[in-house]
């Protein structure tokens, strides 16, 4: 006997996926900087050195004197010579008054006035040593430096993010099927 047969044939469904990956970008911009260094302030103060040279004594030693001092010197020398002359005449007068005791008074006075006295022979340094006087005040130097701090302006820039999300989409590549047959 032949029995009827039932024949079933199926086809599976096939799914496909379309995937777009996510994209992420990160950029870090450099910091914005401005650096400035002001110049230092330098203050320099000087006082000049002073040298004083007094050569008036040296000038006197070589005979270079002013008219007022020259007149004063000549007047003093004249006064001195007059006083020496008066003293010599008084001394000679005293010797002559005492002629009774000293009979050689006149020849002695004549001998004193006739023969000049010996003068010492020596070397004179013109101008004299130490006649030039020096006085020196050294110069002074003050240096003041004021440093200036640098001016630094820095601005941090935020990172730049970029994100594109991914996508997943399903696609039916093969539809499912069922076929049923009756065979008698």
């Amino acid at each position: 006997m032949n029995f009827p047969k039932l024949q079933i044939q199926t086809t599976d469904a096939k799914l496909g996926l379309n995937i777009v990956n996510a994209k992420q970008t990160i950029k870090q911009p450099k910091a914005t900087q401005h650096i400035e260094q002001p110049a230092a302030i330098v203050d320099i103060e000087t006082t000049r050195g002073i040298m004083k040279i007094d050569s008036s004594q040296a000038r006197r030693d070589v005979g270079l004197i002013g008219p007022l001092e020259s007149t004063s010197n000549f007047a003093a020398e004249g006064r001195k010579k007059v006083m020496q002359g008066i003293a010599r005449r008084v001394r000679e007068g005293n010797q002559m008054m005492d002629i009774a005791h000293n009979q050689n008074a006149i020849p002695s006075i004549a001998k004193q006035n006739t023969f000049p006295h010996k003068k010492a022979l020596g070397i004179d340094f013109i101008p004299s040593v130490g006649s030039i006087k020096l006085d020196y005040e050294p110069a002074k130097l003050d240096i003041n430096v004021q440093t200036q701090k640098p001016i630094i302006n820095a601005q941090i820039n935020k990172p730049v993010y970029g994100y594109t999300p991914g996508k997943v989409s399903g696609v039916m590549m093969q539809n499912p099927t069922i076929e049923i047959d009756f065979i008698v």
Side-chain angles (χ1 to χ4, degrees):
M1 209 173 130
N2 276 350
F3 289 105
K5 290 184 179 178
L6 184 65
Q7 190 176 18
I8 300 175
Q9 195 174 19
T10 61
T11 307
D12 293 334
K14 288 187 181 177
L15 261 173
L17 297 176
N18 287 334
I19 300 172
V20 177
N21 290 332
K23 291 184 182 177
Q24 180 177 4
T25 58
I26 301 173
K27 290 183 182 177
Q28 176 65 58
K30 292 181 179 179
T32 305
Q33 292 182 338
H34 176 73
I35 300 174
E36 184 178 337
Q37 176 65 58
I41 299 170
V42 179
D43 183 29
I44 300 174
E45 292 183 14
T46 58
T47 55
R48 294 188 299 172
I50 299 172
M51 176 175 264
K52 296 177 184 174
I53 301 173
D54 182 10
S55 62
S56 58
Q57 182 62 41
R59 293 174 62 81
R60 279 189 211 99
D61 289 348
V62 294
L64 299 173
I65 53 177
L68 294 176
E69 188 176 354
S70 175
T71 304
S72 175
N73 289 346
F74 285 135
E77 185 67 26
R79 230 178 275 116
K80 178 181 163 187
K81 292 292 183 180
V82 165
M83 294 312 258
Q84 287 175 349
I86 292 171
R88 183 176 59 89
R89 282 170 182 74
V90 168
R91 189 176 57 249
E92 290 172 359
N94 287 338
Q95 286 177 351
M96 291 179 114
M97 280 185 358
D98 202 23
I99 202 161
H101 295 87
N102 185 5
Q103 295 180 359
N104 292 330
I106 293 177
S108 172
I109 292 171
K111 185 177 176 185
Q112 289 173 4
N113 291 334
T114 305
F115 299 110
H117 299 290
K118 293 183 181 179
K119 292 188 177 180
L121 181 63
I123 298 174
D124 287 338
F125 292 100
I126 299 177
S128 60
V129 177
S131 62
I132 297 177
K133 294 173 182 69
L134 300 176
D135 184 29
Y136 178 68
E137 293 178 25
K140 294 179 183 175
L141 178 65
D142 287 332
I143 300 174
N144 295 319
V145 178
Q146 293 177 338
T147 57
Q148 301 290 325
K149 292 185 178 181
I151 300 169
I152 300 173
N153 293 324
Q155 181 180 3
I156 300 172
N157 294 321
K158 293 182 178 180
V160 178
Y161 293 106
Y163 179 71
T164 305
K167 292 182 183 178
V168 177
S169 58
V171 176
M172 186 66 78
M173 297 184 72
Q174 183 177 345
N175 290 326
T177 58
I178 295 179
E179 290 180 22
I180 300 173
D181 284 332
F182 289 102
I183 302 176
V184 178

